[in-house]
Amino acid sequence: MARVELYVSADIEADGPIPGPYSMLSFGLAVCGTFDGTRFTAPDPSEETFYAELKPVAADFDPQALEVSGLDRERLVREGRDPAEAMRAAAAWVKTAADGALPVLVAYPLAYDWMWLYWYWMRFTSRSPFGHSRHLDMKTLYAAKAGAMVAQSTKRQMPAALLSARPHTHNALDDAVEQGELFQNLFRWDG
């Protein structure tokens, strides 16, 4: 019998295109819904959140990628959280937030954020609180509901009513909350 699913919106900021040779600098998580197979509930995604800024794990970085986030990499070298500690704390936060429900990570686009988070959880804690497959891509969800091609399933091409009124700031927590609202709207949308 299926349990309740808890949806957690995620966003990350990194200093390059892939984990390992480059570093995840920050990530944000926001509880954005539950679903029991019949009823979907949508809490304010700004109310239950997790945010961490991390020490870089690699020396290399792409200046253009770093510029997107606006994070000070040198400050993070000195003051960022230890990645192992931060990933353990995030996993504990997910477990507490789920409170017995099955946590499902949602992101836009999923592949990028999931790649980083999964790599960091596996590298630093040996397990992901979302397992290896409990995740949902908002871009794909939109494409399926809209009957649109994936290449035409960008936020710019979505109906304005689906989008969050919050700005996309490239702060990982702000964007996790913003995209949590997008997920809520997509989940309830009939297409």
Side-chain angles (χ1 to χ4, degrees), residues 2 8 14 20 22 32 43 46 56 59 71 77 80 90-91 99 105 121 126 130 163 183:
V8 178
Y22 299 97
C32 61
S46 68
L71 290 168
V77 168
D99 191 27
L105 186 131
W121 268 310
S126 301
F130 301 97
L163 303 176
F183 174 75

Side-chain angles (χ1 to χ4, degrees), residues 13 61 120 129:
E13 297 297 329
F61 66 93
Y120 267 71

Side-chain angles (χ1 to χ4, degrees), residues 11-13 26 67-71 167-175:
D11 189 72
I12 73 99
E13 297 297 329
S26 68
E67 188 177 316
V68 169
S69 71
L71 290 168
H168 192 81
T169 66
H170 291 288
N171 169 283
L173 183 56
D174 289 350
D175 293 352

Side-chain angles (χ1 to χ4, degrees), residues 87-88 91 95 117-132:
M87 300 317 289
R88 283 192 304 270
K95 183 177 181 180
L117 288 166
Y118 188 71
W119 189 91
Y120 267 71
W121 268 310
M122 295 308 293
R123 170 71 176 84
F124 294 107
T125 72
S126 301
R127 69 176 32 171
S128 162
F130 301 97
H132 70 278

Side-chain angles (χ1 to χ4, degrees), residues 5 10 40 45-46 54-55 60 77 80-81 89 96 108 115 118 132 134 138 158 165 169-170 181 187:
E5 292 183 334
F40 177 71
S46 68
L54 309 175
K55 288 185 183 301
D60 288 341
V77 168
R81 288 173 79 167
T96 299
Y108 181 96
M115 169 179 63
Y118 188 71
H132 70 278
R134 279 193 318 272
M138 288 184 233
M158 291 180 185
T169 66
H170 291 288
E181 288 182 352
F187 197 96

